[in-house]
Amino acid sequence: MCGIVGYVGNENAAPILIECLKKLEYRGYDSAGIAVIDKNEINMVKATGKIKNLCDKTNDGCSLSGNIGIAHTRWATHGAPNDINAHPHVSNNKKFAVVHNGIIENYMDLKKELVDKGYKFNSETDTEVVVHLLDMYYDKDFKKSVMKTVSRLEGSYALGVICKDYPNTIYAAMLNSPLIIGVGVSENYFASDVTALVQHTKNVIYIEEGEFAEITREKINVFDCTGEPVAREITRIVWDVEAAEKGGYEHFMLKEIMEQPRAIKSAIEPRIKKGKITLDDSGMPDDIMKDINRIVITACGSAYHAACTGKYMIEQLARIPVEVDLASEFRYRNPIINKSTLVIVISQSGETADTIAALKEAKQLGAPVLAIVNVVGSAISKLADYVIYTWAGPEIAVATTKGYTTQVTVLCLLSVFLAQKVGSIDKKTASSLTEDIQQIPKLAQRAIDLNPQIPYLARKYHNERSMFFIGRNTDYAVCLEGSLKLKEISYIHSEAYAAGELKHGTIALIDNDRLVVALACNERLLDKLVSNIREVKARGAKVLGIITERSTKIIPESDDIIYIPEGNTLFNAVAQVIPLQLFAYYVALENDCDIDKPKNLAKSVTVE
Ligand code: F6R
């Protein structure tokens, strides 16, 4: 979730660009950079870490002159966070500079082609191919070279490009990544996010997928991918700066819940090629499963809950025994691990102390370690033998949402991948399961759209003292996460229970009016769940049934209903958890809780 901005006008560009970048800090980033054209030369400064470091290097931008420039805050994806990988990137002859948000999926093929033609790559980023393509296609016509370059790119991009031969022109292009053009008086802008611009102008132009804009001091022209002009209207933004930072949402948590369909897509898309799952980017060797007879997954909190869904998926599809353990327990139980055990650690931050300790323990015992991590360059990503990034983008709310769902999504991919490796499924099954995984982003969106009643349910139930979440199989794994979400942000006590286990003791706590949230999405186990619901109803409980769209069995047993879209039951945890996240969010809102920063909690738990 990088941020990009550009400016062309009569003022010194660099201080303005730095001010704009500061407005994007809330998105999270690990390096920043800026490039301006001065006297027909491109001058560039980059800095790892905070924007303050860029300010220190440039005297708040004042040491860079020039009325045109582009700037970037980077959240590392391809390559570690450092000065070399930070944007902008320049062509070998320093004629072009580019900033980029998104992921160029075909960058490996493009890089090979460019290297063969003699281009020298400095960074590990996917973005660098763009700047060399611009140079390769340049024939004294900047617009044409931009058009030809973007026609070669697959994946997602919001790009800002400058060329030293054109000291009054920026080109900005987009596909599957947000980009807006800011309209000023004798000055114009572009940015990835309205937040960067509202302090300078509230007049913006939204360009559409595949289009690009030619931005000069005096004018903005928008073109389609063939170079034909298209008319785009100016829109007036009504948001203030604070609202804009949260994308118009009241809390980061709600913004991040709503971002999930897109985040999940980012986790899936680059990993399905020609209908087949590839995890080449993890560094795992082809014969990874050759000597493996067992898998242990270890993690903390929500990441542990993701691991629980992973156990069901991997065992079901790959038929490999999977053990799941809390990282804080794993290390002190003298675990039976050796080189035939694949240890998987899961962590959003990549900095959780207990998970790091478990990883080190596993390595010491000789096990190969695969990490599922969000933050590039984090301790866990460096310590593990192999890494699958979740590509969720920065998560700011303390309670994880998109961090968790992208972990589950990666586990869906991994389960089919491993099943193929060990030969437990045939090609036809693998390809149909892969298609099911490709549906997850749509199902996630539908899970949001299907349930406008959640704020009303929250109003009805926000005074509960305690709630129970019950379910079986993967539904139970989702209950664990739904229950944690509720308690951590609304401070209402809640427990998740395997539905069949309740009667072995805990049912003593069910009494008149106690709310039981019953996840009943597993068709095969519905009759069993009906019995468990009746057990709690007989003791006076109210039931909030979570059911799939076509399911009717639970309706007569429930006081209220939340609907889940129909999807492959094994992979449907993502769609199931989203309404539970929303329920927790709205209950906390009713109770006036500090949703983004719940009491006693920290985003990254770096102590044991
Ligand atoms: C709950 C939550 C925590 C984290 C846990 C592990 O909403 O965010 O339970 O899941 O602290 O953190 P990571 O995934 O960063 O290792």
Side-chain angles (χ1 to χ4, degrees):
M1 298 288 156
C2 317
I4 60 174
V5 288
Y7 169 85
V8 52
N10 296 319
E11 304 295 321
N12 200 15
I16 294 175
L17 290 169
I18 286 181
E19 275 315 304
C20 293
L21 284 187
K22 283 184 183 163
K23 296 289 170 205
L24 297 177
E25 283 195 291
Y26 77 96
R27 297 165 66 101
Y29 65 99
D30 42 47
S31 57
I34 190 163
V36 293
I37 305 180
D38 182 29
K39 301 190 190 82
N40 290 78
E41 289 302 327
I42 290 179
N43 294 328
M44 189 172 68
V45 181
K46 310 191 210 184
T48 311
K50 294 288 166 206
I51 291 175
K52 183 173 177 310
N53 301 344
L54 189 64
C55 293
D56 291 346
K57 278 189 170 177
T58 60
N59 186 20
D60 290 327
C62 297
S63 65
L64 285 170
S65 341
N67 309 115
I68 177 168
I70 53 178
H72 189 266
T73 48
R74 175 169 186 256
W75 165 265
T77 56
H78 295 69
N82 58 32
D83 281 11
I84 294 172
N85 290 331
H87 299 209
H89 292 284
V90 285
S91 53
N92 293 156
N93 55 11
K94 305 216 167 26
K95 198 182 274 288
F96 294 95
V98 66
V99 287
H100 166 227
N101 269 7
I103 295 179
I104 311 290
E105 286 170 13
N106 59 334
Y107 86 101
M108 289 299 279
D109 297 341
L110 293 170
K111 186 168 178 175
K112 189 175 173 312
E113 179 184 328
L114 288 157
V115 168
D116 288 347
K117 291 209 159 81
Y119 284 95
K120 189 175 157 299
F121 279 74
N122 295 308
S123 73
E124 301 159 85
T125 65
D126 53 331
T127 303
E128 202 182 334
V129 296
V130 178
V131 82
H132 298 312
L133 284 173
L134 284 163
D135 187 53
M136 184 173 90
Y137 287 125
Y138 187 59
D139 186 13
K140 303 266 182 311
D141 186 334
F142 190 11
K143 182 181 164 194
K144 257 197 199 144
S145 92
V146 170
M147 263 171 59
K148 284 190 179 162
T149 297
V150 296
S151 73
R152 298 290 313 279
L153 307 179
E154 288 168 19
S156 61
Y157 56 79
L159 291 170
V161 187
I162 52 174
C163 170
K164 70 175 189 175
D165 297 347
Y166 286 75
N168 183 33
T169 308
I170 300 175
Y171 282 98
M174 76 96 118
L175 187 75
N176 297 320
S177 190
L179 182 78
I180 48 167
I181 315 297
V183 186
V185 178
S186 301
E187 59 182 21
N188 290 307
Y189 304 79
F190 75 83
S192 50
D193 191 320
V194 90
T195 324
L197 299 184
V198 280
Q199 58 187 333
H200 295 287
T201 178
K202 291 196 167 184
N203 293 328
V204 301
I205 295 173
Y206 293 97
I207 67 168
E208 298 199 352
E209 302 293 342
E211 293 179 350
F212 67 101
E214 181 183 72
I215 308 165
T216 63
R217 186 177 302 126
E218 303 79 19
K219 224 169 170 261
I220 293 160
N221 296 313
V222 182
F223 303 99
D224 68 13
C225 59
T226 66
E228 285 302 307
V230 283
R232 292 272 162 249
E233 281 177 7
I234 295 177
T235 307
R236 179 98 187 138
I237 293 168
V238 289
W239 294 350
D240 60 21
V241 173
E242 213 215 326
E245 285 181 1
K246 291 178 185 148
Y249 293 105
E250 202 175 335
H251 294 95
F252 282 112
M253 182 177 176
L254 188 58
K255 173 175 174 274
E256 286 159 8
I257 290 174
M258 296 304 180
E259 275 171 2
Q260 288 179 106
R262 182 182 268 274
I264 293 160
K265 207 168 166 199
S266 308
I268 297 172
E269 266 189 354
R271 294 178 173 131
I272 299 187
K273 300 206 172 106
K274 298 193 178 113
K276 199 165 175 249
I277 294 170
T278 65
L279 296 175
D280 303 349
D281 57 341
S282 67
M284 278 190 284
D286 245 16
D287 61 352
I288 175 80
M289 295 311 287
K290 196 167 138 258
D291 300 315
I292 300 295
N293 54 30
R294 184 169 152 259
I295 292 175
V296 172
I297 317 182
T298 181
C300 303
S302 296
Y304 167 78
H305 298 157
C308 294
T309 66
K311 174 181 166 70
Y312 287 106
M313 294 190 277
I314 297 171
E315 286 194 340
Q316 175 75 29
L317 297 179
R319 309 305 297 157
I320 306 167
V322 179
E323 202 179 311
V324 176
D325 206 352
L326 293 163
S328 52
E329 289 294 314
F330 175 84
R331 116 170 241 230
Y332 295 111
R333 70 171 166 88
N334 195 7
I336 304 169
I337 302 286
N338 54 40
K339 62 179 178 13
S340 308
T341 318
L342 176 65
V343 172
I344 304 177
V345 296
I346 307 180
S347 174
Q348 186 284 128
S349 63
E351 302 292 350
T352 302
D354 286 321
T355 314
I356 293 174
L359 185 162
K360 287 184 176 163
E361 176 79 10
K363 280 195 86 164
Q364 209 183 345
L365 294 168
V369 177
L370 166 67
I372 298 176
V373 182
N374 190 32
V375 180
V376 177
S378 56
I380 289 178
S381 75
K382 287 185 191 146
L383 288 165
D385 299 302
Y386 319 113
V387 183
I388 307 180
Y389 289 106
T390 53
W391 300 142
E395 196 176 56
I396 292 165
V398 164
T400 184
T401 51
K402 61 178 184 168
Y404 164 85
T405 46
T406 50
Q407 287 163 355
V408 174
T409 303
V410 164
L411 287 162
C412 296
L413 290 164
L414 187 66
S415 62
V416 178
F417 177 84
L418 294 178
Q420 279 182 281
K421 284 267 170 243
V422 299
S424 57
I425 54 172
D426 58 24
K427 267 195 179 158
K428 202 163 150 244
T429 313
S431 107
S432 124
L433 290 167
T434 306
E435 278 170 26
D436 291 344
I437 292 176
Q438 283 172 304
Q439 293 306 311
I440 299 176
K442 271 197 210 132
L443 296 174
Q445 186 59 53
R446 187 150 174 77
I448 296 170
D449 299 341
L450 271 175
N451 292 296
Q453 79 287 19
I454 291 177
Y456 157 79
L457 295 176
R459 221 166 298 135
K460 183 168 170 188
Y461 293 119
H462 75 281
N463 283 325
E464 298 291 314
R465 275 181 305 109
S466 172
M467 295 186 201
F468 287 85
F469 287 70
I470 61 168
R472 286 167 177 263
N473 206 268
T474 47
D475 289 0
Y476 168 54
V478 176
C479 284
L480 293 167
E481 178 60 6
S483 166
L484 178 64
K485 283 289 88 81
L486 182 80
K487 65 186 138 196
E488 68 183 328
I489 61 166
S490 74
Y491 317 139
I492 294 175
H493 169 259
S494 87
E495 279 186 51
Y497 251 80
E501 181 64 14
L502 206 60
K503 58 185 172 297
H504 296 287
T506 306
I507 203 161
L509 296 175
I510 304 291
D511 53 17
N512 253 1
D513 279 350
R514 177 81 61 230
L515 181 66
V516 174
V517 181
L519 256 87
C521 301
N522 191 323
E523 194 64 36
R524 190 169 59 85
L525 299 169
L526 268 194
D527 288 337
K528 299 279 169 221
L529 208 83
V530 169
S531 309
N532 301 135
I533 291 177
R534 289 188 182 151
E535 285 160 14
V536 296
K537 285 199 75 145
R539 275 124 189 121
K542 291 167 293 192
V543 171
L544 170 55
I546 315 283
I547 63 171
T548 53
E549 277 179 90
R550 286 201 296 267
S551 166
T552 50
K553 267 193 189 147
I554 306 291
I555 295 177
E557 315 290 337
S558 306
D559 296 85
D560 289 289
I561 292 287
I562 284 177
Y563 289 101
I564 306 297
E566 304 282 343
N568 182 324
T569 309
L570 199 57
F571 301 144
N572 222 12
V574 168
Q576 287 168 19
V577 86
I578 291 174
L580 298 185
Q581 296 168 342
L582 285 167
F583 181 65
Y585 172 82
Y586 283 109
V587 168
L589 194 66
E590 286 293 328
N591 290 343
D592 224 3
C593 300
D594 189 355
I595 293 180
D596 284 337
K597 293 195 185 80
K599 66 178 183 200
N600 305 341
L601 300 180
K603 183 70 189 155
S604 190
V605 187
T606 52
V607 289
E608 272 195 63

